[in-house]
Amino acid sequence: MQNPQMKHLMKGAWTLSLAALIAKVLSAVYRVPFQNLVGDTGFYVYQQVYPIYGIGMTFALSGFPVFISKLVAEARVPNAQAEIAHQALVLLTWLSWAMFIGLSVFARPLATLMADPELTSLIQTVAFMFLTMPILATGRGYFQGTFDMSKTAVSQVVEQLVRVAVILLAAYFATKAHWSVYQMGAIAMSGAFFGGIAATLTLWPAYQRRFRQLRFTFPGLAAYQRLLGRFVREGGSIALFAALLIVLQLIDSFTVTRGLTASGVEMVAAKQLKGIYDRGQPLVQLGLVVATSLSATLLPSLTTAYARHQDRRFVQTAGQLLRFNLAFAAAASAGLIVLMPAVNWLLFGDVAGQFALQVNVLSIVFVAMINAYNAILQSLDRYRKMTWSLVVGFVVKLATNQWLTAQYGTAGASASTILALGVITLLLALQVPVMIRRELNQRYFLSKLGLTTVIMVAGVFGSELLLPLDSRLTAVGQAAAGVVFGVGLFITAATKLRLFTIREVLALPLGRRFLKAIQARS
């Protein structure tokens, strides 16, 4: 690839990564003021139906667009690329209408399975979002496949901004007008549809200009069958990995409330407890942003090394990806566990559900490693066994969640999530070539990481004992001091123990400046 073209591609990739980061942060952060406005029961109502939206958003935002961009890039010839995009649009239109009709018709049975028939109107509202999926997924995939990342990036940010605005406005007016939590939830869920419409409007002019003059002939059922097969095998795998946590949350929606009531908890209290349990979702999301955003810089190098048959470089880069993801995820997870009382009080106004949330944030480590293994295996084009690994994990969650919740409350539900993620991580790790698995513990990395994490946790825990926690104001001080002290301790211990090599530090953003600062002190 010519140098100007490579620069254009890398610039586009960074633009898309930045937009995805902004979208993730928005998706996590809005839940805090939302919960503060509507309370734990209102949060429960919203979060019960959110996974249905989340799956549709994943299809339209990161799952199918990535797969369609791959198909478009493979076609190379402009007219062939347009033909592929058109066929994808046809297939996704049928899929989206099937999902819209299915959710609309079966909304009440689904709500009943969630142990709360009053959720029917929310499910019917979120169904409209699926009507925006075909043009969003196809448009984003087509433009990414032709290396025009800016349109996808803008549509992502616009979609999240509009959706979050509608949700927060619904929560605000619900408190002023004294709406029921279900009325509030239905209007908040409409943000998914309006966000999708807004994103569609940002894509449509450019998409229409490209396709307006084209006429497509019917390629025959065989062509659509082949494309559908690839959608299921490859696109389905990509979408499932992107929706991993959301599928686990969907299982929670059907089983946690039932598990709580089966243990003798009254329905009103069960709804509140489920709302408290759902506080863990934005914490895990934010932790994953911290854990994986830096290591994302290695993904282009991984793909390039494999494409150029540079086996040794591929193995080294894969090892770096695993080590970075594990190190940053361990730091984020351990930090949140030790700071949970302050973080819980600061963000949500009390320390309810603390132990369940501490167990839940262990998810950060497993999901970060799953993402790393997924990137490596996708680079090797190994889709089938990857997908089965996910399916096995989902079955474990489904089989254990309600029983563990009935036995141990929401902490049991958190434990079920960790068990499922642990199974998926193990199955994926076994599929990675042995030489890459060995890279994970180069230079006693795991021992050094364990010691670094223990030093950080001990230091932060000790500092927290010196500061009282009796109000939201003191929670701000504890959380802020803990984060600053914890980051400083982790970096210092990692530097002293030589957790990362100089080459690995240089691979990180601002790595060169960090090295210069360390050398200046020594």
Side-chain angles (χ1 to χ4, degrees):
M1 187 177 288
Q2 296 176 346
N3 194 44
Q5 192 176 358
M6 176 61 84
K7 287 183 178 179
H8 174 71
L9 178 59
M10 293 304 294
K11 181 180 178 182
W14 276 111
T15 302
L16 198 57
S17 298
L18 179 61
L21 181 62
I22 293 170
K24 285 180 182 178
V25 171
L26 282 172
S27 183
V29 168
Y30 81 85
R31 285 181 170 87
V32 175
F34 180 72
Q35 186 274 345
N36 284 211
L37 284 168
V38 302
D40 290 321
T41 304
F43 196 47
Y44 146 84
V45 167
Y46 176 80
Q47 286 293 139
Q48 280 290 93
V49 180
Y50 171 81
I52 298 175
Y53 155 75
I55 290 171
M57 180 196 70
T58 302
F59 286 167
L61 190 65
S62 53
F64 289 145
V66 171
F67 173 64
I68 293 170
S69 70
K70 179 182 177 183
L71 294 177
V72 170
E74 287 174 358
R76 297 183 181 276
V77 180
N79 284 347
Q81 292 176 330
E83 182 71 34
I84 284 289
H86 176 72
Q87 291 176 20
L89 179 64
V90 171
L91 280 179
L92 288 179
T93 299
W94 282 102
L95 174 63
S96 66
W97 274 96
M99 298 184 80
F100 169 72
I101 293 170
L103 287 172
S104 300
V105 172
F106 295 105
R108 189 164 187 83
L110 285 171
T112 302
L113 285 173
M114 291 180 180
D116 192 350
E118 290 184 90
L119 293 171
T120 300
S121 61
L122 280 79
I123 296 173
Q124 290 171 332
T125 301
V126 81
F128 283 92
M129 174 264 183
F130 284 90
L131 297 179
T132 66
M133 183 179 72
I135 190 64
L136 286 179
T138 305
R140 287 165 171 165
Y142 174 78
F143 289 122
Q144 286 173 228
T146 55
F147 307 120
D148 185 354
M149 312 294 186
S150 60
K151 294 179 178 62
T152 297
V154 171
S155 73
Q156 285 185 11
V157 176
V158 167
E159 180 178 13
Q160 287 298 322
L161 285 173
V162 172
R163 185 175 75 89
V164 168
V166 172
I167 290 169
L168 294 181
L169 285 172
Y172 175 77
F173 285 113
T175 58
K176 295 296 181 182
H178 305 291
W179 297 340
S180 75
V181 289
Y182 295 95
Q183 288 175 307
M184 176 278 303
I187 295 172
M189 274 298 163
S190 71
F193 177 66
F194 290 118
I197 291 293
T200 300
L201 292 176
T202 65
L203 285 173
W204 184 250
Y207 189 84
Q208 182 72 351
R209 280 196 301 272
R210 177 68 184 89
F211 287 82
R212 183 171 44 201
Q213 305 299 328
L214 299 177
R215 295 292 179 267
F216 301 102
T217 58
F218 180 61
L221 285 177
Y224 276 109
Q225 286 174 341
R226 286 194 297 271
L227 183 60
L228 179 60
R230 291 196 65 182
F231 256 95
V232 173
R233 289 192 308 274
E234 299 174 43
S237 177
I238 294 170
L240 273 178
F241 272 95
L244 169 60
L245 284 176
I246 297 169
V247 174
L248 297 178
Q249 291 167 22
L250 184 63
I251 295 172
D252 281 333
S253 293
F254 286 104
T255 54
V256 170
T257 307
R258 287 186 176 279
L260 290 170
T261 53
S263 69
V265 177
E266 293 292 328
M267 189 61 183
V268 173
K271 292 178 181 179
Q272 186 176 18
L273 286 171
K274 174 61 165 55
I276 293 170
Y277 168 75
D278 286 333
R279 296 176 183 181
Q281 293 173 20
L283 298 179
V284 170
Q285 277 186 283
L286 286 174
L288 282 170
V289 168
V290 172
T292 60
S293 58
L294 292 177
S295 59
T297 57
L298 292 172
L299 293 181
S301 299
L302 192 69
T303 305
T304 303
Y306 182 72
R308 294 177 178 175
H309 304 287
Q310 298 171 335
D311 295 342
R312 184 57 196 156
R313 184 185 169 199
F314 179 84
V315 169
Q316 289 176 338
T317 306
Q320 288 178 4
L321 179 63
L322 290 172
R323 290 193 292 273
F324 282 149
N325 270 28
L326 182 57
F328 298 135
S333 184
L336 277 171
I337 288 172
V338 73
L339 288 171
M340 187 57 71
V343 170
N344 202 8
W345 202 329
L346 168 64
L347 298 181
F348 304 109
D350 57 45
V351 293
Q354 178 178 311
F355 180 65
L357 295 177
Q358 287 173 318
V359 175
N360 206 355
V361 296
L362 288 171
S363 303
I364 296 168
V365 174
F366 290 102
V367 177
M369 294 307 291
I370 289 169
N371 288 342
Y373 286 129
N374 174 40
I376 294 166
L377 291 168
Q378 278 193 20
S379 298
L380 297 170
D381 286 326
R382 299 182 183 179
Y383 288 95
R384 185 185 296 273
K385 290 183 179 179
M386 289 165 51
T387 306
W388 278 111
S389 300
L390 283 187
V391 172
V392 171
F394 295 151
V395 170
V396 169
K397 172 73 172 174
L398 191 58
T400 61
N401 205 50
Q402 187 168 322
W403 182 81
L404 283 173
T405 304
Q407 296 297 313
Y408 305 106
T410 52
S414 293
S416 177
T417 296
I418 300 305
L419 179 61
L421 291 172
V423 168
I424 296 170
T425 305
L426 177 61
L427 292 176
L428 291 176
L430 292 175
Q431 295 171 48
V432 170
V434 175
M435 64 281 289
I436 294 178
R437 294 208 300 268
R438 289 173 181 162
E439 284 285 319
L440 181 59
N441 200 29
Q442 284 287 330
R443 301 171 295 99
Y444 304 103
F445 174 81
L446 296 177
S447 300
K448 291 178 181 179
L449 176 60
L451 182 56
T452 300
T453 306
V454 167
I455 290 171
M456 181 195 74
V457 167
V460 172
F461 183 75
S463 70
E464 296 301 280
L465 295 176
L466 302 175
L467 298 171
L469 182 63
D470 49 24
S471 68
R472 219 162 188 172
L473 185 61
T474 57
V476 173
Q478 264 206 24
V483 168
V484 172
F485 190 47
V487 170
L489 267 179
F490 189 87
I491 291 175
T492 302
T495 303
K496 295 293 184 183
L497 292 170
R498 299 187 184 277
L499 185 63
F500 298 118
T501 65
I502 292 176
R503 183 193 296 271
E504 288 171 339
V505 174
L506 289 174
L508 294 171
L510 304 179
R512 193 173 299 277
R513 292 186 182 181
F514 176 74
L515 275 180
K516 286 181 179 179
I518 294 296
Q519 290 168 354
R521 291 181 184 179
S522 57

